[in-house]
Amino acid sequence: MFLQKIKPFLYLGVFYLIISLIVRIIFFFHPITTTSFGFFEIIKILLIGIVNDSFVFVLTCPFLALYFLFLSDSKYQKPYGHIILGVLMLLFLYILLIPNNIFKQYGGSIAEIALAFIGLKIIFFGLMLFLPEKRIKIRNTLYFITVFLYVLLIVFNAVSEYFFYNEFGLRYNFIAVDYLIYTNEVIGNIMESYPVVPLFLGIFAVAILITLFIYRKTKNELQELPNLKQKLILLGSFVALVGISLLGLNFTTKIKPADVFEEEIQANGLPKFYWAFTHNELDYFQFYPEINEKQAERNFLSQFSEPKLQRSITSDQPELKKNVVLISIESLSADFLQHYGNKQNLTPFLDSLADQSLMFTNLYATGNRTVRGLEALTLCIPPTAGESIIKRENNKNKFTTGSVFKSKGYDVKFLYGGYSYFDNMQDFFAGNGYGIVDRNNFKPEEITFANVWGVSDEDMAKKAIQTMNAEAKSGKPFFNHWMTVSNHRPFTYPEGRVDIPGNAKSREGGVKYTDYSLRKFFEMAKKQDWYKNTVFIIIADHCASSAGDTELPMDKYRIPAMIFSEGFIKPQKFTKTMSQIDVMPTLFGLLNFNYQSKFLGQDIFKKEFQPKAYVATYEDLGFIKDNYLTIISPVRKVKQYVLTQQKNMQAPDFNIYFDETNVPAPNQNKKLVEETISAYQSTSYWLKKNQLNR
């Protein structure tokens, strides 16, 4: 009898395990998975995966369990049925009419969801109360809907995990949380990037077929409803299984293989999503290796000529109040440029501009999201665990590149073709003294093309020129930071600009169109009076992809960057390893600025400069120096890799790939481990104590 009553759970559970197994097998053979696994490794991954999936399924069943627990005919008897219906109606009126009810205090759509749920509950409860002869039919309908929703969510989650892995080579993480929060942009992006209608029709068709199968196999269990004793047994069993699953997941999620793909394939996406949702910021001092704080600060600050956090930067040359335009290009990997060995001619303008610029040929992004790139270029500090500072609550009044320019009398603005509320950019830049020009500032006639991410780079280029012309008329120098948007999925842009159609939704097309737009921008800029007194910095925010064999694959962080100014910047190539956080301190050095600095990046032309770079994900914090990559991770883990340079003879000055060879713990370079810990520990401490504020 007990097994009969839990048949719906068993069928749904088996279906969930089968779907999860199929997804896992697809991940094994996905082109993005570059690791090869042996037979026993595959068996181990699948076994751990099945255990993870079983625990997760149990934890997703409370609503189904509650549904069965509340199945009863006695509640419709007088006077209970009328009392319950009255209570439900009062609750509905409370949510509908009371302005500050408890549901509305949570914000968002909680009140509307509660209102819809209670409204449906009233309708179905009333039908079953007043039409007892139809009760079994109504109950069966509700049961079918309940099973259908579970099956639909299982299928939808599997498809979502596939597309997320297809994009990032990972299960759900902070990016998936962003996708849940910024629904307008994300849903728009999905609608424009994928064949949504056939995809959703397929999902619904599969869900209906599976639901019909489970429904027919289990509907007879509703003919005889469980009594109180059976319900107590079911409840006790479920509570015990939940407890076991929580303990089990706490153990299995801590199994961290050496290979990133192995870790991701054996994992279940839902616990990773929950963890990301609840951990916007990781406490460095709780999760990462530490040394004495004073020693960490001394180690880190020893790279500067004045070894303290706030330093006086002075020049023996007169300051140059040139206009500065910083252009952050969305998702522009170094290997899109011909200079780095690309043969597709995707960036003819940027390649030609690089020959006239100070080009940094061995520069690494700090992360793999736009907000990380903006953080690196604005705050000039190493990345810290968790979300970018841009997305944290305590993100205002920081010491920024904008604050340095403002202290010199500059007009400071952030330019963005989309709505800058996305990724909290508006809150961050406005909170740090930047004026903002975004899609809200466009008149309808100024937009020739737009997609979900914003107006085309071409339209933004025209708006940027318009903005800079207005600033130049004020007599003040200006600093404008422009973040491009077109080189982002769905990669749509106006027709006829490049030789790849705008509706092809091609990444290569997105790169070509952004290059085309930048050419148009410079063609317009050259006609302006302010052009010859302006310095342009062109740099990617991050690479197009972050997936690789190791936690921090080096080739997925290497980005192009250059500083260009006719008659001022001498064309040359700087080939030493450097970080995104070094770019703006270097620019201030070129302008001979005198200022009080809290930047943690270095001017690369100072004699004390140490070639190095910081690279990170949300959890793994890496430090590149002396041909080593040292990584510190939660649970105080330390890994180290030897980096072997291999030059591509098609582009010998640029295209350097790195083989990453794991160094066993006893053989690790302890000095570099300490330097890594010192850098990230000190940065986290100074942020925590607000010492990086203005």
Side-chain angles (χ1 to χ4, degrees), residues 4-211:
Q4 293 294 319
K5 296 303 178 187
I6 64 170
K7 275 177 69 176
F9 292 91
L10 293 175
Y11 274 94
L12 282 170
V14 170
F15 173 65
Y16 179 67
L17 292 179
I18 291 171
I19 288 291
S20 298
L21 178 62
I22 291 170
V23 170
R24 210 164 262 116
I25 291 170
I26 290 172
F27 288 171
F28 273 122
F29 295 99
H30 195 288
I32 207 169
T33 306
T34 55
T35 299
S36 298
F37 299 103
F39 176 77
F40 291 107
E41 287 177 305
I42 291 172
I43 296 299
K44 186 188 83 169
I45 291 169
L46 292 178
L47 287 174
I48 294 174
I50 289 170
V51 172
N52 279 326
D53 297 338
S54 301
F55 290 150
V56 168
F57 176 74
V58 170
L59 295 176
T60 60
C61 284
F63 292 108
L64 191 61
L66 287 172
Y67 171 80
F68 280 98
L69 285 173
F70 282 97
L71 283 177
S72 169
D73 281 328
S74 60
K75 63 186 176 185
Y76 299 108
Q77 297 174 2
K78 292 183 179 180
Y80 306 116
H82 295 82
I83 293 172
I84 293 170
L85 184 61
V87 170
L88 288 172
M89 293 177 72
L90 286 172
L91 181 58
F92 183 86
L93 292 172
Y94 166 75
I95 300 170
L96 181 66
L97 301 176
I98 304 301
N100 295 315
N101 67 70
I102 189 171
F103 295 97
K104 289 183 179 176
Q105 290 176 12
Y106 283 95
S109 302
I110 299 295
E112 288 78 4
I113 293 170
L115 200 64
F117 178 80
I118 299 299
L120 290 171
K121 185 69 178 173
I122 289 170
I123 292 170
F124 284 107
F125 190 89
L127 289 172
M128 295 181 78
L129 176 64
F130 296 115
L131 300 172
E133 70 279 5
K134 302 288 186 182
R135 196 171 292 163
I136 292 177
K137 193 170 184 179
I138 296 169
R139 183 178 290 134
N140 284 344
T141 301
L142 289 173
Y143 174 62
F144 182 89
I145 293 171
T146 302
V147 173
F148 173 74
L149 290 175
Y150 260 88
V151 172
L152 181 66
L153 288 172
I154 289 170
V155 177
F156 184 80
N157 176 67
V159 173
S160 299
E161 284 214 73
Y162 167 76
F163 281 114
F164 195 84
Y165 190 88
N166 187 60
E167 184 78 12
F168 300 105
L170 300 167
R171 297 276 190 169
Y172 297 140
N173 59 14
F174 279 101
I175 301 173
V177 176
D178 283 355
Y179 281 11
L180 186 67
I181 294 170
Y182 298 107
T183 51
N184 181 55
E185 282 82 355
V186 173
I187 291 173
N189 184 30
I190 292 168
M191 293 290 288
E192 294 178 7
S193 300
Y194 300 107
V196 173
V197 173
L199 187 63
F200 274 81
L201 286 175
I203 290 172
F204 271 87
V206 171
I208 288 172
L209 289 173
I210 299 298
T211 302

Side-chain angles (χ1 to χ4, degrees), residues 493-524:
Y493 43 84
E495 293 293 343
R497 274 37 172 201
V498 296
D499 58 5
I500 299 176
N503 59 5
K505 299 181 179 179
S506 155
R507 184 181 291 279
E508 287 75 16
V511 173
K512 268 198 168 186
Y513 175 70
T514 293
D515 185 76
Y516 167 88
S517 300
L518 291 174
R519 181 191 296 276
K520 292 298 179 185
F521 170 75
F522 275 89
E523 287 175 356
M524 290 185 286

Side-chain angles (χ1 to χ4, degrees), residues 315-465:
S315 173
D316 55 5
Q317 299 294 318
E319 290 190 343
L320 302 171
K321 296 292 183 67
K322 290 182 175 290
N323 306 308
V324 176
V325 178
L326 168 61
I327 305 175
S328 304
I329 304 178
E330 174 69 47
S331 305
L332 189 72
S333 302
D335 53 17
F336 286 138
L337 273 68
Q338 187 179 49
H339 278 87
Y340 294 86
N342 189 288
K343 299 302 180 185
Q344 297 171 279
N345 196 31
L346 299 177
T347 57
F349 173 70
L350 285 176
D351 280 308
S352 66
L353 193 68
D355 290 330
Q356 307 168 58
S357 304
L358 163 59
M359 187 177 187
F360 308 111
T361 68
N362 204 23
L363 186 147
Y364 294 87
T366 58
N368 46 37
R369 292 295 315 281
T370 295
V371 284
R372 277 297 188 206
L374 294 177
E375 173 191 86
L377 294 167
T378 306
L379 303 179
C380 305
I381 64 173
T384 49
E387 269 289 10
S388 163
I389 293 162
I390 289 174
K391 302 187 69 173
R392 299 182 192 176
E393 290 184 12
N394 184 22
N395 66 357
K396 299 174 181 62
N397 301 313
K398 301 298 182 190
F399 183 78
T400 66
T401 53
S403 64
V404 174
F405 281 114
K406 290 197 92 169
S407 72
K408 303 296 180 183
Y410 279 65
D411 193 341
V412 174
K413 286 188 174 68
F414 175 66
L415 283 60
Y416 181 65
Y419 295 108
S420 58
Y421 73 84
F422 183 75
D423 264 350
N424 211 42
M425 290 184 283
Q426 182 177 36
D427 183 64
F428 172 76
F429 282 104
N432 285 288
Y434 286 68
I436 294 176
V437 177
D438 67 0
R439 187 166 178 172
N440 289 308
N441 299 96
F442 279 77
K443 299 173 183 176
E445 62 270 20
E446 293 177 318
I447 302 175
T448 61
F449 184 90
N451 62 22
V452 68
W453 293 111
V455 303
S456 66
D457 287 347
E458 196 177 345
D459 289 339
M460 190 66 237
K462 295 173 186 174
K463 191 70 172 180
I465 295 294

